[in-house]
Each structure stands twice: as C-alpha cells, then as structure tokens.
Amino acid sequence: RAKETGKARCVVYNARHSSPSDHDISLEAAMFQAVREGEFVLYYQPIVDAGTREIEGFETLMRWKHPTLGMVPPARFIPLAETNGLINLLGAWALKAACVQLRQFEEAAKRSLYISVNISPRQFRNDKFLDVLDDAIAYSGLSGEQLVLEITEGTLMIDPVHAESILGKMAERRARIAIDDFGTGYSSLAYLKNFPISVLKIDRAFIRDLPGSQKDGAICNAVLDLAKHLSLSVVAEGVETEEQMQYMRERGCRYVQGYLTGKPMAANVAVAALTERHYALLCQDQPQRALG
Ligand code: C2E
Ligand code: MG
Ligand code: MG
Ligand code: MG
C-alpha cells in the first residue's frame, strides 16, 4: 500500500509543470488512507422545480470528512484525484452509491426522482467507464432516464470524436447528459447540435449578480432561448435569493439549484426534506439564510 502511494506521488510530480506544494502532497497521501478508512461521503443538493418548488432530483456532491482537517472541499481533492487517477475509484463508488441512494429517496418521497452525478474528464475517458455505468444501473435497478451525468464543455472538447461515441452509448442506456457550468468552458456551440445533450446547467457566475446585472441577464436569456429551441432543459445553479429565482422562472427557466432551495445535505437530511411537505424549513437551518 505504501508503495502505491509512493508511485502516485511520482505521477503528480511528473504530470505537473510547477511542483505541487508540500500541502498538496501530504493531502494526497492522506487521500489514499481516507479511501481505506471510508472518510469520503456523498452529500445531495436538491434540484427544484422553480414553479412548484417540488424537489425533482438531487445532485451528488462528494465530501471528505478528514478526522483533523474537518470537511475538505472537493475543489481541494478532486483535482488531486484527477491527477493521480484515484478519481476512477472514487467516481465509480459515487455513481453506484448515488444510484442506490436514489431508491431510498424515492421510497421516502413516494414518487419518481432523478439523480445527477458529476463525471470528471478522466473518468469519462476511462475504458471501464461504460462498465461502471452499467454496473451502477443494474445493481441499483434504476431506469436509465433517472440518471443524469454531468460533464463539462472541457470534457467534450478534449477528444470530440471519442466523446461522441461515449455519449451515444450513454444515450443507448437512456442516461441523460447535462453540460455543467455551461458558458464557462472553451467550446463551440456545434456540440449541442451533434451530441445527445439533454440539460444545460447555467453556471452560478451568471446567476450571482442577477437581477442587477444587465449583461448576466442577457446571457441567461440567450441560453434559455437556445435551450428552448433545442428542446433542452435548463437548471440555474447557485440561486441564493428569491429575486434570482423569480427572475429565472419568469424567463422560462424550469429548474433551480442553490442555497435558497437547499444546501448540499447528508442523505438522512435529504430523506427528512422529502418527507416534509414544506422542506423550506430545513433550508433555513443555514447561517447565510439566518443572517439574510
Ligand atoms: P459543480 O458540479 O458545479 O457543483 C456545484 C457546486 O456549487 C457545489 O460545490 C455546490 O455546493 C455549490 N453550490 C450550490 N448552490 C450554491 C449556492 O447557492 N451558492 C454557492 N456559493 N455555491 C453553491 P462543491 O460541492 O464544493 O463542489 C465543487 C465542484 O467539485 C463541483 O462543481 C464538481 O465540479 C466537483 N465535484 C463535487 N463532487 C464531485 C464528484 O463526486 N465527482 C466529480 N468528478 N466532481 C465532483
Ligand atoms: Mg455538477
Ligand atoms: Mg456546476
Ligand atoms: Mg460549478
């Protein structure tokens, strides 16, 4: 095991142009330990119908509960896992566990829901990815449509020919594809025409300064118009205020995801939210909201 960790460190050194900080290296070593100790957990953030405020689905967001560092945010450990390849293991676990978790959410809600899972560029390119996907679907017994796979524009653009083939195979399994952080990547719009995309997630950078910012408003309107004509659904990310929610809803955005309608939460809290008629009560249990 120690040997494995040693090797992974070498990979990090070689793959980077600048040398990683000492902090990154110790974090990385701790990550292998964390997998063995089961310190990675999944949180779930509601994706809500902006009109009815019903929870339609959840995005799965990984958390690392480190015994002394506390919660390590994914922005710290996902890039390291992407570099050393651990993302394939973590990602496969997350996909399967999230699919299984959805069954419990549906039992609590007594209706059909969907689960959205982030797929990193390296996972998407991994030879085993379709096997991992098939295993998660078969093991959980979900139907393909209940699974949304979130990828970024960057993931598609690394190798568009390969991407088209993988997306076709995902579509055969009826899993839906969402473009995450839409509008922030380097890409052409042509992929919207050629690839089987179902959902656009507008990045929270375009939502944050609404309704005041005319420029962000123009961008959101353009995305909503494009989505309408291409029959794509749109999720607004990072909705924190009633004004932002209203602004997006009035312009035809059907789904929102943000602190206003629920922070990422542990599975048992999500179950409670689903059984509460007015789960908004749970959203108030947040410092930001209490201050506002
Ligand atoms: P993402 O997929 O774009 O996820 C949305 C991020 O926005 C999450 O950050 C979420 O907590 C945050 N967020 C949601 N609503 C609000 C809001 O109203 N205000 C603000 N300020 N933030 C909000 P998180 O959980 O820290 O995750 C960051 C990124 O890490 C994710 O961005 C995703 O790219 C990556 N990530 C997380 N979990 C996984 C995973 O299981 N696999 C992979 N490959 N990547 C993951
Ligand atoms: Mg995402
Ligand atoms: Mg996103
Ligand atoms: Mg994002």
Side-chain angles (χ1 to χ4, degrees), residues 59-61 116-119 149-152 178-181 201 237 257:
E59 178 173 4
T60 309
L61 294 161
S116 210
V117 182
N118 292 290
I119 306 297
L149 301 164
E150 299 193 6
I151 56 179
T152 61
I179 303 300
D180 203 355
D181 308 338
K201 298 191 75 174
E237 295 191 291
Q257 176 183 351

Side-chain angles (χ1 to χ4, degrees), residues 17 32 43 48 79 84 90 92 105 109 116 123 134 154-155 210 223 226 241 244 291:
H17 297 293
F32 284 88
Y43 269 39
V48 171
N84 66 24
L90 285 174
F105 289 162
S116 210
Q123 268 179 284
D134 285 336
T155 299
L210 293 179
V223 172
L226 182 69
T241 68
Q244 289 168 346
L291 288 172

Side-chain angles (χ1 to χ4, degrees), residues 74-124:
R76 286 301 312 281
F77 69 82
I78 296 281
L80 291 176
E82 181 76 10
T83 309
N84 66 24
L86 200 56
I87 193 68
N88 287 316
L89 182 75
L90 285 174
W93 162 72
L95 185 60
K96 193 168 179 172
C99 288
V100 170
Q101 184 59 61
L102 184 66
R103 300 303 299 268
Q104 195 201 350
F105 289 162
E106 290 189 317
E107 263 172 48
K110 299 186 171 57
R111 61 195 165 87
S112 179
L113 298 165
Y114 72 87
I115 192 83
S116 210
V117 182
N118 292 290
I119 306 297
S120 84
R122 187 158 175 173
Q123 268 179 284
F124 186 81

Side-chain angles (χ1 to χ4, degrees), residues 3-291:
K3 219 173 167 186
E4 255 175 53
T5 312
K7 262 192 221 157
R9 279 186 198 172
C10 290
V11 174
V12 173
Y13 272 117
N14 295 338
R16 295 201 182 185
H17 297 293
S18 59
S19 41
S21 69
D22 289 352
H23 197 82
D24 279 357
I25 292 168
S26 59
L27 201 62
E28 204 200 359
M31 233 159 87
F32 284 88
Q33 173 78 15
V35 171
R36 291 192 288 271
E37 302 291 331
E39 290 167 16
F40 289 96
V41 295
L42 299 177
Y43 269 39
Y44 299 90
Q45 185 176 30
I47 299 169
V48 171
D49 185 309
T52 64
R53 296 195 177 222
E54 289 270 15
I55 297 176
E56 298 293 324
F58 289 90
E59 178 173 4
T60 309
L61 294 161
M62 205 180 291
R63 297 289 180 262
W64 177 6
K65 289 188 175 170
H66 190 281
T68 54
L69 296 174
M71 282 281 202
V72 184
R76 286 301 312 281
F77 69 82
I78 296 281
L80 291 176
E82 181 76 10
T83 309
N84 66 24
L86 200 56
I87 193 68
N88 287 316
L89 182 75
L90 285 174
W93 162 72
L95 185 60
K96 193 168 179 172
C99 288
V100 170
Q101 184 59 61
L102 184 66
R103 300 303 299 268
Q104 195 201 350
F105 289 162
E106 290 189 317
E107 263 172 48
K110 299 186 171 57
R111 61 195 165 87
S112 179
L113 298 165
Y114 72 87
I115 192 83
S116 210
V117 182
N118 292 290
I119 306 297
S120 84
R122 187 158 175 173
Q123 268 179 284
F124 186 81
R125 288 199 313 276
N126 188 275
D127 294 340
K128 299 282 187 309
F129 180 67
L130 290 169
D131 295 337
V132 165
L133 180 61
D134 285 336
D135 180 47
I137 293 173
Y139 184 83
S140 64
L142 290 190
S143 59
E145 315 85 89
Q146 291 180 281
L147 182 58
V148 176
L149 301 164
E150 299 193 6
I151 56 179
T152 61
E153 294 164 313
T155 299
L156 292 180
M157 292 302 121
I158 295 168
D159 183 351
V161 175
H162 173 255
E164 186 167 5
S165 131
I166 298 293
L167 291 180
K169 289 180 175 134
M170 288 174 170
E172 278 170 26
R173 287 146 175 92
R174 300 169 73 198
R176 287 180 287 159
I177 315 300
I179 303 300
D180 203 355
D181 308 338
F182 184 73
T184 63
Y186 296 95
S187 70
S188 78
L189 289 175
Y191 73 87
L192 293 180
K193 173 177 152 193
N194 300 324
F195 295 172
I197 310 293
S198 303
V199 183
L200 301 181
K201 298 191 75 174
I202 303 184
D203 193 75
R204 82 165 181 271
F206 301 118
I207 307 295
R208 190 179 45 224
D209 300 326
L210 293 179
S213 163
Q214 271 189 30
K215 286 182 181 172
D216 290 322
I219 291 168
C220 288
N221 278 311
V223 172
L224 287 165
D225 198 46
L226 182 69
K228 188 171 135 196
H229 290 104
L230 294 172
S231 305
L232 305 171
S233 35
V234 176
V235 179
E237 295 191 291
V239 170
E240 295 185 355
T241 68
E242 286 291 344
E243 291 72 26
Q244 289 168 346
M245 168 126 134
Q246 189 188 341
Y247 185 96
M248 293 306 288
R249 187 183 57 230
E250 282 171 355
R251 284 158 185 80
C253 180
R254 174 110 187 249
Y255 302 105
V256 295
Q257 176 183 351
Y259 293 172
L260 177 70
T261 47
K263 273 195 148 184
M265 50 186 94
N268 64 318
V269 181
V271 165
L274 288 165
T275 39
E276 283 284 328
R277 185 75 193 93
H278 299 289
Y279 76 95
L281 284 173
L282 280 148
C283 303
Q284 282 166 10
D285 190 23
Q286 296 165 6
Q288 294 90 330
R289 298 264 298 155
L291 288 172

